[in-house]
Amino acid sequence: MRNTFVDCLIKRARYDDRIFLITPDVGFSVLERFADEFPDRYLNVGIAEQNAVGVAAGLALSGKRPYVYSMVPFVTMRCFEQVRVDVAYMKTNVVLAGIGGGLTYGPAGATHHAIEDIAIMRALPNMTICAPGDPIEARALMEQSFDHDGPIYIRLGRNGEPAIHGPDVKIEIGSSVKIADGDDLALITTGNTLELASRVIQAMQDRGRKATLISMPTIKPFDCDVIISLLDRGMPIVTLEEHTVIGGLGSAVAEIIAEYGKGVKFRRIGLPDEYSHTVGSQEYLRNHFGLNLERILEIIGGI
Amino acid sequence: MAHYSKASHVGSCLSIAEILYTLYFRILRVDPGNPNLANRDIFILSKGHGSAALYATLAERGFYPKAYLDKYYIDGGLLPGHLDKEAVPGVEVSSGSLGHGLSIGIGMAIARRTALDSGRVFVLLGDGECNEGSVWEAAMLAGTLKLENLTAIVDFNKLQSFGKTNEVIDQRNMAARWAAFGWDAHDVEGHDVAALEQVFSAPQQGPKMIVAHTVKGKSVSFMEDRLEWHYKSPNDEQYVQAIKELEGKK
C-alpha cells in the first residue's frame, strides 16, 4: 500500500504541479523516487510533526495539494491540534497519509500501533477518513483524493497486502463496496482486516452459511444507507476492524442501528480497550487479541 | 470594541497597533477591493488574541465597513474573539491557538518561492507564544530553507498571560535565539513607525526576525505594563479616559 501511495502520487505529480509531499523524516526506501523526481515539491521538515502539518496547511492555503506522510500515531496524534485548527477548522486540502494502521508495526510496540486513530479523527468536522483494505481500494481512493474538496486522513497498511477486489470494482469516497451477498449475516469491515474478513466469509460458505461482506474504505462520511438496507433485511450484523471497539467502525454502525429503531443482533469485533504490552508480530498480536479466523467464527457461530 | 462587547486582551492589542499600522499602510502589497489578489503579501496574526487590533486595522484599510467593528465578540456578532478566516475579507489564516502561524507562513512562503511569486509573508507572534515548542520547529526549518520571503515579528511586550515573560521562560536574548536558528534578527522599538518601516523594508538574508520591543497596553497610562489588561475590559469611566489618552497622543 505504501508503494501504491507513492506510485499514485508520482503519476499525478508529473502533470499536476500542485502536488507536494511532506515528511517528518519518515519514508526510507519508499519516498526516494518522489524526492528524486520532484525535488522542489518534496520536503523533509525534520522530526517535527506539528510543523509538518502547519507547513502543509500553508501550502494548501496557497492552492497546493500537500500530502503529509508518516506513521499513523505521528501524523494524527502528535500533531492533533494542528490537524484540528490548520486542517479541519480551516478546511484545507491537506491529505494526512498514515502508514501502519492497527497492529501493523507489531513488535515495535504500542507507541507505533494505531488503535485509536479512527475514533479521534472521526470527531473532527470536515475530516474525511479513508482506510483502504487492499491495493485496489488504496489506488482508487488516492486518485480521488487529488480533486477532493477538504482534508483527508488516509490510513494505510504497509506493503504486500493481497488484492481482494477484481479490477472492475467501483470504489468511491463515501461509499461502501459489497463483496458477497447472503441473508445469514452481514460482516462489515474496514482497512487492513478486509483480507481476514474475506476468509471468514469463505469459511462460512464452506459450512453452508451465506453471508454478506461489506468493505468500508471510507469511515467518514459514512455510508449509512448500506447499514439501513441491512437492517431492513433484518440480518445480524458483525463489524470487524483492527482498532479498539471504541469509536471506530463498530461504533459508527452501532450509532445507526441504535437510532434506526429496528434492532438486530449485533457484535463489534476489534481490539480491546487496552494498550498492548505483548511483544510480537502483527499476526502474533492478532492471535493474542482474538482477531483471527477461529475466534471470529466462534463469535459468529454464537449469534 | 472591547469596551462595547466587554472583551479582553486590550493590552495585547495596544502593544501591536503600530506594527499593524506600519504593515498595512506602509509595507504590505494588498488590495482591499480584491482581497485574493495574486502575488499579494500575506499577513498572519499568529497571536490570534490580538484580533481586535487586526479587525480595526483591516476596517481602517478599507477591507470592510467600520460598522463591522460593533459586531465583535457579541451574541450574533460577526467577528469572533480569535480569528476565523471565514468571518471577513483580509483575514488570511484562522488563529487563536498559539504556535501555529509560523508553520503556516512557511508553507505559504514555500508555495510563493516555488511559483516564483514575489509576494512576501509576514507572521506576528507573541513573546509568550514563543514558549510553544512548535514555534521552534518552524524556526529551525525556515532558517534551513533560507526563506528570504518570510518575515516574523515577535511582539516582545514582556508580559504573558500569567506572569512576566522573562520570569516564566527567560527569553532576554530573544534576537540571539532566532539568529542562532539562521534568522536575520533585528531588535527594534516596536512603537516607532519609522524604525519599523525601515527594518521591514531592509533587504534580508534568509528569514527575517524583528524583535519588536513593545509595551503591553501602550499609551493608556493605567494599562501600560499591567498583566490584568490581558483579561480586563474597560468600564465606562476607563473607556473615556483611555480614549482621551490615545487621542491626546496622536
Side-chain angles (χ1 to χ4, degrees), chain A residues 248-286:
Chain A
L249 171 72
S251 296
V253 173
E255 288 159 15
I256 297 165
I257 296 174
E259 288 191 341
Y260 192 58
K262 284 188 186 174
V264 294
K265 287 181 179 171
F266 173 64
R267 279 296 295 269
R268 294 169 299 158
I269 302 176
L271 296 169
D273 180 26
E274 62 183 76
Y275 289 108
S276 171
H277 295 282
T278 305
V279 182
S281 68
Q282 182 178 27
E283 193 187 348
Y284 184 90
L285 293 178
R286 277 186 176 189

mmCIF file of all heavy atoms in Angstrom, chain A residues 248-286:
data_model
loop_
_atom_site.group_PDB
_atom_site.id
_atom_site.type_symbol
_atom_site.label_atom_id
_atom_site.label_comp_id
_atom_site.label_asym_id
_atom_site.label_seq_id
_atom_site.Cartn_x
_atom_site.Cartn_y
_atom_site.Cartn_z
ATOM 1 N N GLY A 248 -14.657 3.464 16.559
ATOM 2 C CA GLY A 248 -14.272 3.173 15.177
ATOM 3 C C GLY A 248 -15.465 2.717 14.339
ATOM 4 O O GLY A 248 -16.593 3.207 14.499
ATOM 5 N N LEU A 249 -15.198 1.769 13.447
ATOM 6 C CA LEU A 249 -16.241 1.244 12.562
ATOM 7 C C LEU A 249 -17.424 0.707 13.351
ATOM 8 O O LEU A 249 -18.579 1.006 13.038
ATOM 9 C CB LEU A 249 -15.633 0.139 11.679
ATOM 10 C CG LEU A 249 -16.620 -0.677 10.851
ATOM 11 C CD1 LEU A 249 -17.164 0.162 9.708
ATOM 12 C CD2 LEU A 249 -15.961 -1.945 10.316
ATOM 13 N N GLY A 250 -17.134 -0.118 14.357
ATOM 14 C CA GLY A 250 -18.206 -0.738 15.140
ATOM 15 C C GLY A 250 -19.102 0.295 15.776
ATOM 16 O O GLY A 250 -20.337 0.160 15.781
ATOM 17 N N SER A 251 -18.500 1.343 16.302
ATOM 18 C CA SER A 251 -19.296 2.403 16.922
ATOM 19 C C SER A 251 -20.145 3.121 15.885
ATOM 20 O O SER A 251 -21.306 3.452 16.142
ATOM 21 C CB SER A 251 -18.386 3.419 17.613
ATOM 22 O OG SER A 251 -17.698 2.810 18.670
ATOM 23 N N ALA A 252 -19.551 3.372 14.716
ATOM 24 C CA ALA A 252 -20.299 4.073 13.660
ATOM 25 C C ALA A 252 -21.530 3.271 13.257
ATOM 26 O O ALA A 252 -22.623 3.815 13.075
ATOM 27 C CB ALA A 252 -19.387 4.318 12.457
ATOM 28 N N VAL A 253 -21.367 1.958 13.135
ATOM 29 C CA VAL A 253 -22.502 1.103 12.770
ATOM 30 C C VAL A 253 -23.518 1.074 13.915
ATOM 31 O O VAL A 253 -24.734 1.185 13.701
ATOM 32 C CB VAL A 253 -22.006 -0.314 12.407
ATOM 33 C CG1 VAL A 253 -23.189 -1.255 12.197
ATOM 34 C CG2 VAL A 253 -21.122 -0.274 11.160
ATOM 35 N N ALA A 254 -23.014 0.965 15.142
ATOM 36 C CA ALA A 254 -23.904 0.895 16.310
ATOM 37 C C ALA A 254 -24.777 2.145 16.416
ATOM 38 O O ALA A 254 -25.956 2.068 16.775
ATOM 39 C CB ALA A 254 -23.068 0.723 17.579
ATOM 40 N N GLU A 255 -24.193 3.291 16.100
ATOM 41 C CA GLU A 255 -24.949 4.548 16.174
ATOM 42 C C GLU A 255 -26.147 4.514 15.224
ATOM 43 O O GLU A 255 -27.240 4.966 15.567
ATOM 44 C CB GLU A 255 -24.023 5.731 15.813
ATOM 45 C CG GLU A 255 -23.008 6.043 16.911
ATOM 46 C CD GLU A 255 -21.795 6.813 16.400
ATOM 47 O OE1 GLU A 255 -21.837 7.363 15.283
ATOM 48 O OE2 GLU A 255 -20.777 6.827 17.132
ATOM 49 N N ILE A 256 -25.925 3.963 14.038
ATOM 50 C CA ILE A 256 -27.015 3.907 13.058
ATOM 51 C C ILE A 256 -28.081 2.916 13.514
ATOM 52 O O ILE A 256 -29.282 3.209 13.474
ATOM 53 C CB ILE A 256 -26.459 3.522 11.671
ATOM 54 C CG1 ILE A 256 -25.482 4.596 11.192
ATOM 55 C CG2 ILE A 256 -27.595 3.360 10.662
ATOM 56 C CD1 ILE A 256 -24.620 4.167 10.033
ATOM 57 N N ILE A 257 -27.639 1.756 13.986
ATOM 58 C CA ILE A 257 -28.601 0.740 14.446
ATOM 59 C C ILE A 257 -29.454 1.306 15.585
ATOM 60 O O ILE A 257 -30.675 1.190 15.591
ATOM 61 C CB ILE A 257 -27.856 -0.531 14.922
ATOM 62 C CG1 ILE A 257 -27.108 -1.187 13.752
ATOM 63 C CG2 ILE A 257 -28.830 -1.517 15.555
ATOM 64 C CD1 ILE A 257 -26.238 -2.367 14.154
ATOM 65 N N ALA A 258 -28.765 1.981 16.524
ATOM 66 C CA ALA A 258 -29.472 2.468 17.712
ATOM 67 C C ALA A 258 -30.547 3.489 17.349
ATOM 68 O O ALA A 258 -31.601 3.532 17.971
ATOM 69 C CB ALA A 258 -28.474 3.068 18.698
ATOM 70 N N GLU A 259 -30.269 4.296 16.356
ATOM 71 C CA GLU A 259 -31.229 5.360 16.020
ATOM 72 C C GLU A 259 -32.294 4.909 15.023
ATOM 73 O O GLU A 259 -33.317 5.572 14.894
ATOM 74 C CB GLU A 259 -30.474 6.590 15.454
ATOM 75 C CG GLU A 259 -29.693 7.318 16.537
ATOM 76 C CD GLU A 259 -29.161 8.663 16.084
ATOM 77 O OE1 GLU A 259 -29.083 8.893 14.864
ATOM 78 O OE2 GLU A 259 -28.808 9.472 16.971
ATOM 79 N N TYR A 260 -32.060 3.798 14.324
ATOM 80 C CA TYR A 260 -32.991 3.415 13.258
ATOM 81 C C TYR A 260 -34.263 2.776 13.809
ATOM 82 O O TYR A 260 -35.318 2.858 13.197
ATOM 83 C CB TYR A 260 -32.296 2.474 12.268
ATOM 84 C CG TYR A 260 -33.075 2.258 10.995
ATOM 85 C CD1 TYR A 260 -33.424 3.329 10.185
ATOM 86 C CD2 TYR A 260 -33.466 0.981 10.608
ATOM 87 C CE1 TYR A 260 -34.145 3.131 9.016
ATOM 88 C CE2 TYR A 260 -34.179 0.771 9.433
ATOM 89 C CZ TYR A 260 -34.517 1.857 8.640
ATOM 90 O OH TYR A 260 -35.230 1.667 7.476
ATOM 91 N N GLY A 261 -34.156 2.129 14.953
ATOM 92 C CA GLY A 261 -35.360 1.598 15.584
ATOM 93 C C GLY A 261 -35.741 0.194 15.151
ATOM 94 O O GLY A 261 -36.814 -0.290 15.477
ATOM 95 N N LYS A 262 -34.886 -0.455 14.375
ATOM 96 C CA LYS A 262 -35.135 -1.861 14.029
ATOM 97 C C LYS A 262 -33.958 -2.670 14.540
ATOM 98 O O LYS A 262 -32.920 -2.734 13.884
ATOM 99 C CB LYS A 262 -35.243 -2.039 12.515
ATOM 100 C CG LYS A 262 -36.547 -1.563 11.909
ATOM 101 C CD LYS A 262 -36.608 -1.970 10.450
ATOM 102 C CE LYS A 262 -37.833 -1.370 9.770
ATOM 103 N NZ LYS A 262 -37.841 -1.629 8.323
ATOM 104 N N GLY A 263 -34.087 -3.205 15.722
ATOM 105 C CA GLY A 263 -32.966 -3.911 16.335
ATOM 106 C C GLY A 263 -32.623 -5.208 15.623
ATOM 107 O O GLY A 263 -33.498 -5.912 15.147
ATOM 108 N N VAL A 264 -31.332 -5.473 15.512
ATOM 109 C CA VAL A 264 -30.865 -6.769 15.004
ATOM 110 C C VAL A 264 -29.767 -7.239 15.951
ATOM 111 O O VAL A 264 -29.263 -6.448 16.752
ATOM 112 C CB VAL A 264 -30.281 -6.671 13.568
ATOM 113 C CG1 VAL A 264 -31.355 -6.296 12.559
ATOM 114 C CG2 VAL A 264 -29.111 -5.701 13.517
ATOM 115 N N LYS A 265 -29.435 -8.498 15.856
ATOM 116 C CA LYS A 265 -28.286 -8.987 16.630
ATOM 117 C C LYS A 265 -27.047 -8.292 16.103
ATOM 118 O O LYS A 265 -26.880 -8.151 14.887
ATOM 119 C CB LYS A 265 -28.156 -10.500 16.475
ATOM 120 C CG LYS A 265 -29.227 -11.262 17.242
ATOM 121 C CD LYS A 265 -29.026 -12.760 17.077
ATOM 122 C CE LYS A 265 -30.089 -13.519 17.869
ATOM 123 N NZ LYS A 265 -30.039 -14.964 17.561
ATOM 124 N N PHE A 266 -26.162 -7.882 17.016
ATOM 125 C CA PHE A 266 -25.021 -7.045 16.598
ATOM 126 C C PHE A 266 -23.811 -7.335 17.481
ATOM 127 O O PHE A 266 -23.939 -7.445 18.695
ATOM 128 C CB PHE A 266 -25.429 -5.569 16.707
ATOM 129 C CG PHE A 266 -24.294 -4.601 16.457
ATOM 130 C CD1 PHE A 266 -23.681 -4.534 15.220
ATOM 131 C CD2 PHE A 266 -23.828 -3.762 17.467
ATOM 132 C CE1 PHE A 266 -22.637 -3.647 14.990
ATOM 133 C CE2 PHE A 266 -22.787 -2.879 17.251
ATOM 134 C CZ PHE A 266 -22.190 -2.824 15.997
ATOM 135 N N ARG A 267 -22.659 -7.470 16.855
ATOM 136 C CA ARG A 267 -21.415 -7.628 17.620
ATOM 137 C C ARG A 267 -20.303 -6.799 16.991
ATOM 138 O O ARG A 267 -20.181 -6.755 15.766
ATOM 139 C CB ARG A 267 -20.955 -9.103 17.620
ATOM 140 C CG ARG A 267 -21.660 -9.982 18.643
ATOM 141 C CD ARG A 267 -21.397 -9.601 20.094
ATOM 142 N NE ARG A 267 -20.019 -9.773 20.512
ATOM 143 C CZ ARG A 267 -19.551 -10.901 21.059
ATOM 144 N NH1 ARG A 267 -20.331 -11.949 21.254
ATOM 145 N NH2 ARG A 267 -18.277 -10.981 21.424
ATOM 146 N N ARG A 268 -19.523 -6.139 17.840
ATOM 147 C CA ARG A 268 -18.325 -5.451 17.363
ATOM 148 C C ARG A 268 -17.130 -6.353 17.630
ATOM 149 O O ARG A 268 -16.911 -6.751 18.775
ATOM 150 C CB ARG A 268 -18.099 -4.144 18.128
ATOM 151 C CG ARG A 268 -19.139 -3.077 17.922
ATOM 152 C CD ARG A 268 -18.963 -1.949 18.925
ATOM 153 N NE ARG A 268 -19.118 -2.442 20.289
ATOM 154 C CZ ARG A 268 -18.632 -1.835 21.361
ATOM 155 N NH1 ARG A 268 -17.966 -0.706 21.261
ATOM 156 N NH2 ARG A 268 -18.806 -2.351 22.556
ATOM 157 N N ILE A 269 -16.374 -6.653 16.602
ATOM 158 C CA ILE A 269 -15.117 -7.388 16.810
ATOM 159 C C ILE A 269 -13.975 -6.432 16.469
ATOM 160 O O ILE A 269 -13.943 -5.831 15.387
ATOM 161 C CB ILE A 269 -15.037 -8.661 15.933
ATOM 162 C CG1 ILE A 269 -16.224 -9.585 16.240
ATOM 163 C CG2 ILE A 269 -13.710 -9.374 16.157
ATOM 164 C CD1 ILE A 269 -16.290 -10.817 15.351
ATOM 165 N N GLY A 270 -13.091 -6.269 17.429
ATOM 166 C CA GLY A 270 -11.947 -5.372 17.226
ATOM 167 C C GLY A 270 -10.977 -5.583 18.367
ATOM 168 O O GLY A 270 -10.998 -6.622 19.034
ATOM 169 N N LEU A 271 -10.171 -4.599 18.600
ATOM 170 C CA LEU A 271 -9.193 -4.725 19.682
ATOM 171 C C LEU A 271 -9.823 -4.259 20.993
ATOM 172 O O LEU A 271 -10.680 -3.379 21.000
ATOM 173 C CB LEU A 271 -7.957 -3.875 19.360
ATOM 174 C CG LEU A 271 -7.193 -4.341 18.115
ATOM 175 C CD1 LEU A 271 -6.159 -3.298 17.698
ATOM 176 C CD2 LEU A 271 -6.523 -5.689 18.368
ATOM 177 N N PRO A 272 -9.402 -4.861 22.103
ATOM 178 C CA PRO A 272 -9.958 -4.440 23.397
ATOM 179 C C PRO A 272 -9.450 -3.044 23.767
ATOM 180 O O PRO A 272 -8.506 -2.529 23.168
ATOM 181 C CB PRO A 272 -9.426 -5.501 24.362
ATOM 182 C CG PRO A 272 -8.166 -5.996 23.722
ATOM 183 C CD PRO A 272 -8.383 -5.902 22.239
ATOM 184 N N ASP A 273 -10.077 -2.467 24.772
ATOM 185 C CA ASP A 273 -9.743 -1.115 25.226
ATOM 186 C C ASP A 273 -8.490 -1.165 26.100
ATOM 187 O O ASP A 273 -8.549 -0.921 27.303
ATOM 188 C CB ASP A 273 -10.958 -0.571 26.001
ATOM 189 C CG ASP A 273 -10.729 0.831 26.530
ATOM 190 O OD1 ASP A 273 -9.906 1.553 25.932
ATOM 191 O OD2 ASP A 273 -11.379 1.189 27.527
ATOM 192 N N GLU A 274 -7.383 -1.521 25.492
ATOM 193 C CA GLU A 274 -6.127 -1.601 26.256
ATOM 194 C C GLU A 274 -4.936 -1.453 25.308
ATOM 195 O O GLU A 274 -5.049 -1.720 24.104
ATOM 196 C CB GLU A 274 -6.025 -2.938 26.990
ATOM 197 C CG GLU A 274 -5.997 -4.148 26.080
ATOM 198 C CD GLU A 274 -5.959 -5.479 26.845
ATOM 199 O OE1 GLU A 274 -7.024 -5.875 27.376
ATOM 200 O OE2 GLU A 274 -4.890 -6.108 26.895
ATOM 201 N N TYR A 275 -3.800 -0.999 25.847
ATOM 202 C CA TYR A 275 -2.568 -0.955 25.067
ATOM 203 C C TYR A 275 -1.872 -2.309 25.158
ATOM 204 O O TYR A 275 -1.938 -2.973 26.196
ATOM 205 C CB TYR A 275 -1.644 0.155 25.571
ATOM 206 C CG TYR A 275 -2.186 1.524 25.237
ATOM 207 C CD1 TYR A 275 -2.719 2.344 26.223
ATOM 208 C CD2 TYR A 275 -2.194 1.974 23.915
ATOM 209 C CE1 TYR A 275 -3.246 3.594 25.899
ATOM 210 C CE2 TYR A 275 -2.724 3.214 23.590
ATOM 211 C CZ TYR A 275 -3.238 4.020 24.583
ATOM 212 O OH TYR A 275 -3.758 5.238 24.249
ATOM 213 N N SER A 276 -1.220 -2.696 24.090
ATOM 214 C CA SER A 276 -0.524 -3.973 24.073
ATOM 215 C C SER A 276 0.780 -3.885 24.858
ATOM 216 O O SER A 276 1.585 -2.983 24.644
ATOM 217 C CB SER A 276 -0.210 -4.366 22.625
ATOM 218 O OG SER A 276 0.652 -5.493 22.624
ATOM 219 N N HIS A 277 0.960 -4.803 25.762
ATOM 220 C CA HIS A 277 2.266 -4.971 26.418
ATOM 221 C C HIS A 277 2.869 -6.311 26.019
ATOM 222 O O HIS A 277 3.806 -6.791 26.642
ATOM 223 C CB HIS A 277 2.116 -4.857 27.935
ATOM 224 C CG HIS A 277 1.674 -3.493 28.379
ATOM 225 N ND1 HIS A 277 2.539 -2.416 28.450
ATOM 226 C CD2 HIS A 277 0.449 -3.023 28.723
ATOM 227 C CE1 HIS A 277 1.859 -1.336 28.839
ATOM 228 N NE2 HIS A 277 0.592 -1.678 29.002
ATOM 229 N N THR A 278 2.273 -6.911 24.997
ATOM 230 C CA THR A 278 2.741 -8.186 24.476
ATOM 231 C C THR A 278 3.666 -7.916 23.297
ATOM 232 O O THR A 278 3.420 -6.991 22.526
ATOM 233 C CB THR A 278 1.526 -9.020 24.000
ATOM 234 O OG1 THR A 278 0.616 -9.130 25.087
ATOM 235 C CG2 THR A 278 1.936 -10.399 23.531
ATOM 236 N N VAL A 279 4.729 -8.690 23.195
ATOM 237 C CA VAL A 279 5.683 -8.487 22.105
ATOM 238 C C VAL A 279 5.417 -9.512 21.015
ATOM 239 O O VAL A 279 5.332 -10.709 21.292
ATOM 240 C CB VAL A 279 7.141 -8.637 22.606
ATOM 241 C CG1 VAL A 279 8.121 -8.370 21.467
ATOM 242 C CG2 VAL A 279 7.391 -7.698 23.773
ATOM 243 N N GLY A 280 5.280 -9.040 19.781
ATOM 244 C CA GLY A 280 5.097 -9.987 18.693
ATOM 245 C C GLY A 280 4.664 -9.313 17.421
ATOM 246 O O GLY A 280 4.311 -8.124 17.414
ATOM 247 N N SER A 281 4.698 -10.087 16.344
ATOM 248 C CA SER A 281 4.323 -9.577 15.026
ATOM 249 C C SER A 281 2.845 -9.217 14.992
ATOM 250 O O SER A 281 2.089 -9.538 15.915
ATOM 251 C CB SER A 281 4.594 -10.653 13.978
ATOM 252 O OG SER A 281 3.682 -11.732 14.196
ATOM 253 N N GLN A 282 2.446 -8.587 13.887
ATOM 254 C CA GLN A 282 1.028 -8.256 13.714
ATOM 255 C C GLN A 282 0.166 -9.517 13.860
ATOM 256 O O GLN A 282 -0.844 -9.510 14.569
ATOM 257 C CB GLN A 282 0.826 -7.632 12.337
ATOM 258 C CG GLN A 282 -0.611 -7.209 12.064
ATOM 259 C CD GLN A 282 -0.752 -6.544 10.703
ATOM 260 O OE1 GLN A 282 0.024 -6.825 9.783
ATOM 261 N NE2 GLN A 282 -1.720 -5.670 10.573
ATOM 262 N N GLU A 283 0.610 -10.603 13.225
ATOM 263 C CA GLU A 283 -0.179 -11.836 13.278
ATOM 264 C C GLU A 283 -0.207 -12.384 14.703
ATOM 265 O O GLU A 283 -1.247 -12.830 15.198
ATOM 266 C CB GLU A 283 0.417 -12.864 12.306
ATOM 267 C CG GLU A 283 -0.515 -14.024 12.070
ATOM 268 C CD GLU A 283 0.142 -15.138 11.247
ATOM 269 O OE1 GLU A 283 1.225 -14.913 10.686
ATOM 270 O OE2 GLU A 283 -0.441 -16.234 11.202
ATOM 271 N N TYR A 284 0.933 -12.306 15.364
ATOM 272 C CA TYR A 284 1.020 -12.802 16.741
ATOM 273 C C TYR A 284 0.070 -12.008 17.640
ATOM 274 O O TYR A 284 -0.665 -12.577 18.451
ATOM 275 C CB TYR A 284 2.461 -12.667 17.226
ATOM 276 C CG TYR A 284 2.705 -13.236 18.603
ATOM 277 C CD1 TYR A 284 3.094 -14.572 18.770
ATOM 278 C CD2 TYR A 284 2.547 -12.451 19.738
ATOM 279 C CE1 TYR A 284 3.315 -15.105 20.039
ATOM 280 C CE2 TYR A 284 2.757 -12.960 21.010
ATOM 281 C CZ TYR A 284 3.140 -14.281 21.152
ATOM 282 O OH TYR A 284 3.351 -14.799 22.404
ATOM 283 N N LEU A 285 0.084 -10.686 17.468
ATOM 284 C CA LEU A 285 -0.770 -9.837 18.306
ATOM 285 C C LEU A 285 -2.247 -10.022 17.962
ATOM 286 O O LEU A 285 -3.110 -9.988 18.834
ATOM 287 C CB LEU A 285 -0.362 -8.362 18.172
ATOM 288 C CG LEU A 285 1.022 -8.021 18.733
ATOM 289 C CD1 LEU A 285 1.340 -6.545 18.494
ATOM 290 C CD2 LEU A 285 1.108 -8.338 20.222
ATOM 291 N N ARG A 286 -2.533 -10.231 16.678
ATOM 292 C CA ARG A 286 -3.927 -10.510 16.298
ATOM 293 C C ARG A 286 -4.419 -11.763 17.019
ATOM 294 O O ARG A 286 -5.534 -11.799 17.555
ATOM 295 C CB ARG A 286 -4.034 -10.715 14.789
ATOM 296 C CG ARG A 286 -4.131 -9.430 13.992
ATOM 297 C CD ARG A 286 -4.383 -9.746 12.521
ATOM 298 N NE ARG A 286 -4.573 -8.532 11.738
ATOM 299 C CZ ARG A 286 -4.985 -8.520 10.473
ATOM 300 N NH1 ARG A 286 -5.241 -9.658 9.848
ATOM 301 N NH2 ARG A 286 -5.136 -7.379 9.829
#
